[in-house]
Amino acid sequence: MQALPTGGLRVGTTQGTQLQARAVFIATGVGAFVPRTLKLPGLDAYEGGQLLYRLDESPRLAGQRVVVHGGDEPAVQQAIACATAPAAQRPARTTLQHRRDVFDAPPALLEQLQALRTAGRIEVAIGMASRIVEEAGRLTALELTPPRARRCTCRSTCCSCAWAWCRAWAPSPNGAWHWSANSSWWTPPPSPPACPASTPWATPLPTPGKRKLILSGFHEATLAAFGAAEWLAGHKLPLEYTTSSERLQGLLGVAAVRN
C-alpha cells in the first residue's frame, strides 16, 4: 500500500492488481488462531521435531512415549486417538497431562477416556508443567508441580521423540495488523463516536468495554464507513434509510413500496 501525492492510496495485490482509493478499511479481526504454546524455557527449540502442536496419524508415533498436554476436548480426543491407533502407529505409552484431574469434554469422550485409563492404555499426569528435562540434547521429560505436592517428573520418551499437544488455541494478529499499524499513513481513530473531520479514518481499534462479537464488528464497520464518508465530504452527512430515502432507492435501483 502506498500513499499518493495527490491524495488517496494505491493498493496492490499479490496477483498484480492495482487499486486506487480515497479510503481503505483494514478489517483483520482478532487475527488467525494459533496454538497457545507452552511457556517453558528451552522448549521452543524442539518445536517441529519432538514438540508438535498438532498430531497426525504418522507411523512416527509407533513405539514412542507420547505426552498430550491439555484438559479440553481436543486434548482428550488426541490422547484417545493415540491410545486406540492401529498397532503399527500406536505409541508405546500415552500420557495425558493436565493441571488437575478434571477434563472439559463431552460425556461420551470422558467415558472412553476413563475406560482407557482403567485398562492402563492412557496414563494421566496431574500438575503444572514447570520445566523441561533434557539428556544429550534430547527432550526427555516434563517436570510437573502437582497441586499441594512435591515436584515429580512426567517421562515423555525413552527413544527419540516426545510429543505434546497444545491444550488451546488463541487469536494472534496477522501480518496486516503489524504493517498497517506501523505505516506512516496509519492514524488510529479516537474512540467512537468522536471523529474529527481532519483525522484520516481507519477501522476502529479495540475500545474499552468492547465485546468480541460479530455484532460489534458490524457496529464498528458502520461507524468507520460514516467516519470515512464525512471525512471525504468535509462535512456531516445526514443519516438516511433505504425504506424512506428516494436517493438511496435510486442508487440501489429499487422502487419504494407505497401503501
Side-chain angles (χ1 to χ4, degrees):
M1 188 176 295
Q2 176 186 8
L4 300 175
T6 56
L9 299 166
R10 178 180 289 117
V11 182
T13 71
T14 56
Q15 301 298 319
T17 302
Q18 295 289 319
L19 303 171
Q20 185 171 337
R22 297 178 65 193
V24 174
F25 296 89
I26 302 173
T28 62
V30 294
F33 279 82
V34 297
R36 192 186 300 277
T37 58
L38 284 170
K39 306 299 184 183
L40 296 177
L43 186 61
D44 290 347
Y46 297 97
E47 186 171 345
Q50 289 183 271
L51 173 66
L52 297 177
Y53 289 106
R54 182 185 297 278
L55 296 182
D56 53 23
E57 298 177 355
S58 170
R60 292 183 300 168
L61 296 179
Q64 307 302 325
R65 292 187 176 185
V66 175
V67 175
V68 179
H69 169 77
D72 57 3
E73 182 176 351
V76 173
Q77 284 181 326
Q78 189 62 69
I80 291 174
C82 288
T84 59
Q89 301 177 2
R90 190 179 307 157
R93 178 180 297 174
T94 299
T95 301
L96 180 59
Q97 181 262 316
H98 188 42
R99 66 182 183 276
R100 58 194 183 118
D101 199 356
V102 177
F103 299 94
D104 183 13
L109 279 181
L110 294 179
E111 291 177 7
Q112 190 175 4
L113 172 62
Q114 185 57 49
L116 291 169
R117 291 178 67 176
T118 302
R121 298 177 64 178
I122 291 181
E123 297 180 2
V124 174
I126 302 303
M128 295 289 291
S130 55
R131 74 178 187 92
I132 63 173
V133 179
E134 301 170 283
E135 295 178 8
R138 305 291 297 175
L139 173 63
T140 58
L142 294 176
E143 187 175 275
L144 308 180
T145 303
R148 299 180 298 278
R150 63 181 182 179
R151 291 186 176 183
C152 64
T153 300
C154 176
R155 186 65 55 178
S156 57
T157 180
C158 61
C159 302
S160 60
C161 294
W163 309 81
W165 170 264
C166 188
R167 68 180 178 88
W169 292 74
S172 175
N174 57 28
W177 176 267
H178 295 292
W179 59 252
S180 61
N182 294 326
S183 296
S184 59
W185 48 265
W186 170 272
T187 303
S191 298
C195 180
S198 60
T199 302
W201 185 267
T203 46
L205 297 175
T207 55
K210 174 184 174 179
R211 301 297 180 183
K212 294 181 180 179
L213 300 171
I214 294 177
L215 178 63
S216 300
F218 281 112
H219 172 243
E220 291 188 342
T222 302
L223 293 176
F226 267 91
E230 291 180 349
W231 174 68
L232 292 172
H235 56 80
K236 287 286 185 178
L237 297 175
L239 183 62
E240 300 180 75
Y241 301 92
T242 55
T243 54
S244 58
S245 171
E246 294 184 359
R247 188 183 73 86
L248 291 181
Q249 293 167 0
L251 291 173
L252 294 172
V254 297
V257 176
R258 306 297 182 186
N259 292 330

